[in-house]
Amino acid sequence: MSAHPGTALAAACASCHACGLLNRLPATGDHGAICPRCGAPLHRRKPMSLQRTWALVIAAAICYVPANLLPVMTVTSLGKTEGDTIMSGVIYFVRSGDWPLALIIFTASVFVPLMKLGLLTFLLISVHRRSSWRPVERTRMYRLTEAIGRWSMVDIYVVTILVALVRLGNLATIEAGAGAVFFGSVVVITIFAAESFDPRLIWDHCDARST
Ligand SMILES: [Zn+2]
């Protein structure tokens, strides 16, 4: 691991993840080191950050397929059962002229999760390649993936509200489909993936000139 002289890593120091206290690490490394102020374990970088993030990104990418192929909700009306996937919902709203609604569902449910996975994959590859390309922009990309996590749950909210509303009447029933479970998994797993990535890794391969 390389780091330019100005970093805590180069000075054998690490700040506590819990309370922020800057500590000098023992010469043997950070294994077993704890924060003297609050007792939390100390790490130079989040442990196994790249491996964990890769595992979660791949898991989310696998769940993304059934999330889009399986119905997110099934509607039973007058004895007829119909399943709706995310895309068939978007197409339905486009056809009935509800452009803004179609755009919101498409952005939140199809585009945002895909963009998050794409950005995280790009960041992981750039760290593996020890890239020193535009660290400021890459850090911004990371902050973006962290910030937009919870906003892609819109679909689940819509299904939940519909299920609750329609349960009140007896003519039709709406149930959440298997796609909704996978869709929720994609959102939750990508939140964990963004959380397990350590953005300081982006800066470890950048020399003092690029700061
Ligand atoms: Zn502490």
Side-chain angles (χ1 to χ4, degrees):
M1 212 178 267
S2 66
H4 61 77
T7 64
L9 182 69
C13 291
S15 64
C16 171
H17 295 302
C19 74
L21 181 71
L22 188 66
N23 295 281
R24 191 166 291 281
L25 288 168
T28 48
D30 56 11
H31 185 73
I34 55 161
C35 172
R37 183 158 71 179
C38 73
L42 291 174
H43 308 288
R44 287 159 204 262
R45 296 290 177 259
K46 286 180 188 171
M48 311 282 282
S49 171
L50 292 179
Q51 292 91 328
R52 278 183 195 173
T53 314
W54 268 121
L56 291 165
V57 164
I58 291 166
I62 292 169
C63 289
Y64 187 79
V65 179
N68 281 283
L69 293 180
L70 296 176
V72 280
M73 64 178 190
T74 52
V75 181
T76 311
S77 176
L78 303 169
K80 215 175 84 185
T81 305
E82 246 178 272
D84 264 307
T85 62
I86 292 173
M87 273 320 279
S88 74
V90 172
I91 293 164
Y92 170 80
F93 285 119
V94 169
R95 282 200 182 137
S96 55
D98 276 319
W99 276 98
L101 203 54
L103 197 68
I104 289 171
I105 295 180
F106 180 79
T107 310
S109 307
V110 181
F111 179 69
V112 167
L114 207 58
M115 188 183 77
K116 275 192 81 170
L117 289 177
L119 283 177
L120 281 171
T121 308
F122 171 75
L123 290 174
L124 285 167
I125 291 171
S126 79
V127 170
H128 275 292
R129 291 174 58 98
R130 300 169 173 269
S131 164
S132 57
W133 178 80
R134 298 190 176 207
V136 177
E137 281 78 2
R138 281 188 288 147
T139 310
R140 277 198 197 121
M141 280 179 202
Y142 172 72
R143 289 219 307 272
L144 184 71
T145 60
E146 235 194 347
I148 56 180
R150 53 190 159 278
W151 299 107
S152 41
M153 275 294 218
V154 176
D155 240 67
I156 299 299
Y157 294 143
V158 171
V159 174
T160 320
I161 292 165
L162 276 177
V163 169
L165 282 178
V166 178
R167 279 275 160 83
L168 298 172
N170 289 324
L171 282 174
T173 51
I174 294 188
E175 271 171 7
V181 177
F182 284 105
F183 184 78
S185 318
V186 171
V187 175
V188 172
I189 295 170
T190 42
I191 289 173
F192 281 118
E195 177 61 33
S196 65
F197 183 77
D198 195 333
R200 289 173 298 184
L201 294 171
I202 295 171
W203 294 91
D204 283 343
H205 305 299
C206 299
D207 57 31
R209 275 172 293 134
S210 59
T211 55

